[in-house]
Amino acid sequence: MNHGKAHRKFNRRSDHRRAMLANLAAALIKHEQIMTTLPKAKDLRPVVEKLVTLGKRGGLHARRQAIAEMRDIAMVRKLFDVIGPRYKDRNGGYTRVMKAGYRYGDSAAVAVIEFVDRDIEAKGKDSGPVQERAEEAAPVPA
């Protein structure tokens, strides 16, 4: 019987699997679109949907729950300041998974997971304090 076995194991221990999903969620919040394997994208979707719901709810308790899940304070700040208010009128369905063919090396099914109504400018952009410090240190062209 296969009762109560809803998620994939990905050949990883439970702590490694949780860390992987947390890192993928942080990357998705950072870039608002990432490319990964199809099974990882499908398992990432409910994690990110719950984080966006926490971001919509706001408040200190929800922020601490998001930090406990993701462990990236800069991305939690973006979640609560940018992404949560963006979806305040939407009742779920914040992400979409689109198949993107097969990877060259091992023919693994690849997918793009992205936020619905995402910010096009966030793709590939390194947001957070590291980016701000780099912009301050860079010389301004005259």
Side-chain angles (χ1 to χ4, degrees):
M1 289 185 290
N2 199 25
H3 301 303
K5 293 173 175 56
H7 303 290
R8 297 168 183 86
K9 292 187 177 180
F10 298 117
N11 250 350
R12 289 165 167 83
R13 295 186 320 270
S14 60
D15 57 339
H16 187 180
R17 191 166 48 248
R18 257 188 88 176
M20 177 191 68
L21 289 173
N23 289 334
L24 283 171
L28 181 61
I29 289 169
K30 181 182 215 174
H31 301 292
E32 300 195 15
Q33 178 189 35
I34 59 172
M35 184 175 272
T36 183
T37 61
L38 183 63
K40 285 180 189 171
K42 286 182 175 181
D43 273 15
L44 177 63
R45 182 178 12 201
V47 172
V48 172
E49 301 270 339
K50 288 171 186 155
L51 286 171
V52 173
T53 303
L54 288 175
K56 283 172 54 177
R57 194 170 61 184
L60 181 61
H61 181 58
R63 188 176 294 263
R64 285 179 174 167
Q65 285 178 313
I67 290 170
E69 180 73 27
M70 220 171 17
R71 296 178 298 279
D72 190 343
I73 294 174
M75 291 308 109
V76 170
R77 188 177 301 121
K78 180 178 179 183
L79 175 70
F80 278 77
D81 296 343
V82 177
I83 294 174
R86 183 189 304 164
Y87 297 114
K88 68 180 184 304
D89 296 328
R90 182 183 278 268
N91 296 324
Y94 313 113
T95 58
R96 80 167 57 98
V97 175
M98 297 178 294
K99 294 181 181 178
Y102 298 94
R103 195 160 52 197
Y104 172 69
D106 58 356
S107 296
V110 176
V112 173
I113 181 168
E114 66 180 11
F115 282 111
V116 178
D117 304 328
R118 69 183 171 90
D119 179 18
I120 305 296
E121 300 300 319
K123 182 179 177 184
K125 186 176 175 184
D126 192 19
S127 55
V130 176
Q131 178 71 18
E132 293 166 6
R133 276 189 259 129
E135 290 172 357
E136 291 171 3
V140 178

